[in-house]
Amino acid sequence: SKSDFLLPGTLLTGLAAFYLMLSVLGMTLADADRLGLLLGPFPSGGFVEILSPSLVLAADWPVIFGETGIILAVALLTVVGTLLHATGLELSLDQELDLEQDLRATGIANVIGALGGGLIGFQLMSGTSLGKKLRLPGPMAGLCAAGGCAVPFFFGGALLSVLPIGLF
């Protein structure tokens, strides 16, 4: 199907089918949670409380500095991954990209993400191709993904804890 709504429609249908099945079986959310069918458990409240300056003071810095070689290897692999994916994107999108800008954006994003305890990352050809196929303009795919991450981060895990694990 070429429909733009195939993926979101499939996810919503799966979610509806899960809750319909719970209802047909007479199960509550607590029953589903006990059976391991739901994500979680998560702490109440937002995850933003996790970000505390005291975490920096509590870090075991000698251990971190002892892993400098591994940290540098991960940084190098991130650069190589960024360049490989950017080159693949150039071929996939049939347009030339500014690799220097991509590397700079990746570096800035990784530094900002690290301040919040985030993992390293770089552009993925699959995500960009999906955004293009869905005809999302500009950075809309990335903004949608960031928005999906921001909702539970700021509003807590209560929403996540009622989602079926099989959907993920």
Side-chain angles (χ1 to χ4, degrees):
S1 172
K2 300 262 183 198
S3 173
D4 296 341
F5 298 103
L6 180 64
L7 181 62
T10 302
L11 290 173
L12 289 174
T13 302
L15 189 64
F18 175 79
Y19 284 111
L20 178 65
M21 190 57 84
L22 283 184
S23 177
V24 167
L25 295 174
M27 293 177 64
T28 65
L29 285 177
D31 296 333
D33 188 38
R34 226 178 359 269
L35 290 172
L37 300 176
L38 301 175
L39 291 176
F42 296 102
S44 61
F47 294 113
V48 76
E49 294 89 23
I50 294 171
L51 300 179
S52 167
S54 66
L55 288 177
V56 175
L57 299 173
D60 192 349
W61 290 105
V63 171
I64 293 172
F65 289 131
E67 299 299 329
T68 301
I70 292 174
I71 293 169
L72 292 175
V74 168
L76 179 64
L77 288 172
T78 301
V79 170
V80 170
T82 299
L83 291 173
L84 286 172
H85 281 277
T87 303
L89 276 173
E90 284 182 329
L91 295 171
S92 173
L93 301 175
D94 197 28
Q95 71 184 47
E96 195 166 318
L97 301 176
D98 184 351
L99 297 180
E100 185 178 339
Q101 180 183 358
D102 286 348
L103 282 173
R104 190 178 301 114
T106 300
I108 291 169
N110 281 324
V111 167
I112 291 171
L115 295 175
L119 300 173
I120 58 115
F122 48 85
Q123 303 88 327
L124 289 178
M125 196 165 33
S126 58
T128 303
S129 297
L130 177 63
K132 183 180 180 190
K133 288 199 183 294
L134 292 175
R135 293 187 288 274
L136 294 173
M140 189 56 76
L143 292 173
C144 289
C149 294
V151 168
F153 184 72
F154 289 108
F155 300 107
L159 174 65
L160 290 176
S161 64
V162 296
L163 294 175
I165 199 166
L167 208 56
F168 292 88

